[in-house]
Amino acid sequence: MGDLTGKVAIITGAGAGLGREEALQLARQGARVVINDIDLPKAAEAAQQTVADIKALGGEAIVALGDCADTADAGRVFKTALDTFGDVNIMINNAGFTRDKTIYGMTDDEFDSVVRVHLRGHFVNMRNAAQYWREKAKSGPVYGRLISTSSEAMLYASPGQPNYAPAKAGIAALSIGVAALMLKLGVTCNVILPRGRTAMTENMPHAAMFDAPKEGFDVFNPANVTPLVGYLVSPEAAHISGEVFVVWGGRVNIVQRPRLDVFYDNPKGGKWAINDLHTTLAKYFTPEHRTAVDGYALPPQ
């Protein structure tokens, strides 16, 4: 199960954290891996270490540095993969960072830079892979797998992350649309919302909850996320696409898309009047009908 022998994977942000663990996972499954990270000394060193660790496992890997959200850089990374290994079969978008503040004090740059790396970074690399697979499909079947990395911040709309949360929501919407578009090519695209101990969790107010236990199962070890990734990019998961998963520890949650559960039609017919809307909707939103769970108000039971 999960054999990726001969397959080629590009993983952004793969020098450390979750990206590194994904690279090791896919290498163990037989994939040849292109380790992408930003062209800065610390990140470059980490990327080289990931390659060394993969080679120590008997796998194949190379480093291709560059800004994942820059069109030229991402193009060079993709070309490096083709020039080195002759194909690209798997694209995992993982790179990201946070600049947390409330909307009261967030600057334009703090908003733009986070949205750029997360949302544009996904878009640029997904476009490269999609264009390549569409062209390749003209001459025969293709093996294509896209994995996008979102966050539960998209579900809970973190008030201290008015840049990160909407970027992550955008990633999910982008990925579900790409999944529908590429279905006819046999290409899958899925989204993971991982919980794991990474550099991004170190500065969170509740960072201590991610600390490794002195003994027992390490729930927030990012390596716990990677078996799902390895499965979703495998031949066995060819029928799974356009799905969103929360994954952490030993649990996988399948996230259902928003549903139009509660509705009211104007009993008088035609256009609503404001006073009728108040009479109808105020009953729904009264305190006794609202149960707060993680910032959400649930409908009356």
Side-chain angles (χ1 to χ4, degrees), residues 70-141:
D70 182 85
T71 299
D73 279 8
R76 281 191 289 270
V77 171
F78 204 90
K79 185 176 185 300
T80 298
L82 293 176
D83 290 346
T84 305
F85 296 127
D87 203 358
V88 173
N89 310 105
I90 299 163
M91 171 65 73
I92 299 178
N93 286 297
N94 169 76
F97 72 101
T98 56
R99 289 187 178 180
D100 294 351
K101 280 185 182 177
T102 67
I103 199 166
Y104 299 128
M106 181 165 287
T107 66
D108 289 357
D109 179 67
E110 288 165 340
F111 181 86
D112 291 344
S113 60
V114 169
V115 173
R116 176 185 178 277
V117 168
H118 288 275
L119 184 53
R120 179 183 165 86
H122 273 68
F123 162 73
V124 169
N125 288 281
M126 291 170 77
R127 180 178 61 185
N128 287 343
Q131 290 174 340
Y132 172 71
W133 290 327
R134 182 178 65 169
E135 187 62 29
K136 190 174 182 180
K138 294 177 181 178
S139 56

Side-chain angles (χ1 to χ4, degrees), residues 8 23 53 97 106-107 143 155 171 176 186 196 203 209 225 250 260 266-267 281 292:
V8 180
D53 292 340
F97 72 101
M106 181 165 287
T107 66
Y143 188 102
L155 302 175
I171 286 169
I176 292 169
N203 297 319
M209 71 175 285
V225 172
L260 302 177
N266 185 356
L281 297 183

Side-chain angles (χ1 to χ4, degrees), residues 208-230:
M209 71 175 285
F210 291 97
D211 290 346
K214 294 181 180 178
E215 57 183 28
F217 180 49
D218 183 359
V219 173
F220 293 114
N221 185 336
N224 298 333
V225 172
T226 63
L228 176 63
V229 175

Side-chain angles (χ1 to χ4, degrees), residues 184-217:
K184 63 183 178 182
L185 300 183
V187 172
T188 69
C189 180
N190 291 289
V191 187
I192 62 168
L193 283 57
R195 297 184 198 174
R197 185 175 52 254
T198 68
M200 291 202 331
T201 64
E202 293 175 356
N203 297 319
M204 292 182 175
H206 53 289
M209 71 175 285
F210 291 97
D211 290 346
K214 294 181 180 178
E215 57 183 28
F217 180 49

Side-chain angles (χ1 to χ4, degrees), residues 30-52:
R32 296 169 289 174
V33 188
V34 178
I35 306 299
N36 168 247
D37 220 312
I38 193 70
D39 192 4
L40 294 173
K42 185 176 179 180
E45 182 180 354
Q48 293 291 354
Q49 183 60 55
T50 300
V51 168

